[in-house]
Amino acid sequence: MFNAFADAGTIPRCYILRRKGASVRRPGAMRVLQLQRCAVLVFVFFATVVQAEDAKVKPVPTPLEVAALKLLVPEPAQGSPTPLQPLSAHQLKSWAVLPGASVVLLRFSRTEAAEARLDVALVQGRPEDLKVLARNRDMVASARDLPVLDDGLRVLQPSSEAQLDLAPYRISPTETAVGVRLTTTSSCAGSCPVCSETQWLILLRMVGERLTPIMLAPMRDVYDTHSCGERDSHSDSVERSLDISRTSTGGFRDLLLRSSPVHPKRPQLRFRWTGTTYVPDELRPDFR
């Protein structure tokens, strides 16, 4: 009976049970070939997925990136007692302000001899003749002293998430600032904690061979209030944009920081040039 059903095509012959011993028949040669092909396809699929994931984690650097890293992160000298800080991440973007120029952001890990740090450099040229125009070897440390309205929010750390922001911040008719954004978070503690995340914008100006921080402004605040007793957890966020004003102070354009939703008491903040940095009007001695 089983063979009759199998011959009729209702049940595959390789799955038919014998009447005695309930043992399974061995699959035919065609079935073995199908299984082998299936196994090969599965192997190729997973191998492709693994290669794609590796490509995402470890992208192949361009010749310009290789030349920039070789120029900015030299190999330690032979016999040097203090090893150089290892490079943990980098980012390179072209800068349209100068022909052939690029901005490089470097993140160095912490070692026993030095703290972690973020470097930013302006380079120009082709991979074979690349040169450094200006550099800041510890951007976070040099930006901590910039004036901000709320010192309690100023928790910049080299380990913060960082990325280049090369929007055309034209601060004067002849100068354009370089932007770097850092995201910092506050830890939750206590019975009714409020966790916050702030994204900061640091503007840097090329002064000789140094990229000098000239402005620090919070661009996004996210507050997450966790449940406390009968209160439900909720999140609030404030987004800000930086606009170039038509007015100038000391030959440099004023900068307007606008928030959304609009702050009831501060619909916008005006930053004015003081000769070395940008300062909000509220922190200026002559502000009324």
Side-chain angles (χ1 to χ4, degrees):
M1 180 177 66
F2 288 96
N3 290 336
F5 280 112
D7 293 339
T10 307
I11 303 175
R13 180 175 295 273
C14 60
Y15 293 114
I16 299 303
L17 300 179
R18 291 183 179 179
R19 287 192 294 268
K20 292 183 180 180
S23 60
V24 181
R25 290 184 179 179
R26 294 182 180 178
M30 184 62 67
R31 180 63 177 172
V32 172
L33 183 60
Q34 291 175 350
L35 293 174
Q36 289 177 344
R37 289 177 177 175
C38 182
V40 171
L41 290 176
V42 171
F43 174 80
V44 171
F45 171 77
F46 281 104
T48 304
V49 171
V50 171
Q51 290 178 357
E53 291 298 324
D54 289 342
K56 292 180 182 178
V57 176
K58 299 178 180 179
V60 178
T62 63
L64 186 60
E65 287 180 303
V66 174
L69 293 178
K70 186 176 180 180
L71 180 65
L72 300 171
V73 190
E75 294 292 334
Q78 236 179 3
S80 174
T82 305
L84 297 178
Q85 287 181 261
L87 180 69
S88 59
H90 74 277
Q91 185 181 10
L92 184 146
K93 286 186 177 182
S94 60
W95 200 42
V97 177
L98 292 176
S102 300
V103 182
V104 187
L105 182 65
L106 305 172
R107 183 195 299 276
F108 292 91
S109 301
R110 180 179 180 178
T111 63
E112 295 182 0
E115 294 292 329
R117 76 176 199 269
L118 287 171
D119 291 13
V120 59
L122 178 61
V123 298
Q124 186 181 36
R126 297 170 297 179
E128 56 270 19
D129 57 2
L130 197 66
K131 61 181 179 180
V132 180
L133 299 181
R135 184 175 183 177
N136 188 316
R137 294 181 178 271
D138 198 343
M139 182 190 63
V140 172
S142 58
R144 283 200 183 103
D145 295 331
L146 290 173
V148 290
L149 288 176
D150 192 343
D151 287 342
L153 290 179
R154 192 177 356 158
V155 288
L156 299 182
Q157 298 294 333
S159 58
S160 305
E161 179 184 344
Q163 60 182 354
L164 292 172
D165 179 4
L166 301 186
Y169 296 110
R170 197 167 183 82
I171 57 177
S172 76
T174 58
E175 294 187 59
T176 300
V178 173
V180 178
R181 297 199 180 214
L182 279 78
T183 302
T184 61
T185 57
S186 68
S187 59
C188 298
S191 59
C192 191
V194 176
C195 300
S196 66
E197 179 182 279
T198 303
Q199 184 187 78
W200 300 88
L201 172 64
I202 301 176
L203 292 185
L204 302 106
R205 178 193 178 205
M206 184 175 173
V207 181
E209 296 182 355
R210 177 175 170 81
L211 287 173
T212 303
I214 58 173
M215 180 182 177
L216 174 64
M219 301 301 293
R220 183 181 69 238
D221 292 320
V222 179
Y223 303 95
D224 186 10
T225 306
H226 291 257
S227 57
C228 180
E230 298 180 356
R231 293 176 55 188
D232 295 330
S233 62
H234 65 278
S235 297
D236 295 322
S237 62
V238 178
E239 298 282 345
R240 299 181 181 90
S241 61
L242 187 65
D243 299 326
I244 309 297
S245 174
R246 295 181 179 180
T247 61
S248 300
T249 302
F252 285 77
R253 303 289 291 272
D254 297 342
L255 304 178
L256 302 177
L257 189 66
R258 295 189 171 99
S259 60
S260 177
V262 177
H263 196 286
K265 295 183 180 179
R266 290 188 205 147
Q268 70 179 22
L269 289 176
R270 182 179 293 271
F271 288 73
R272 300 178 192 269
W273 183 250
T274 62
T276 55
T277 60
Y278 275 95
V279 177
D281 278 349
E282 284 82 346
L283 297 181
R284 292 169 60 90
D286 55 350
F287 178 71
R288 296 177 183 176

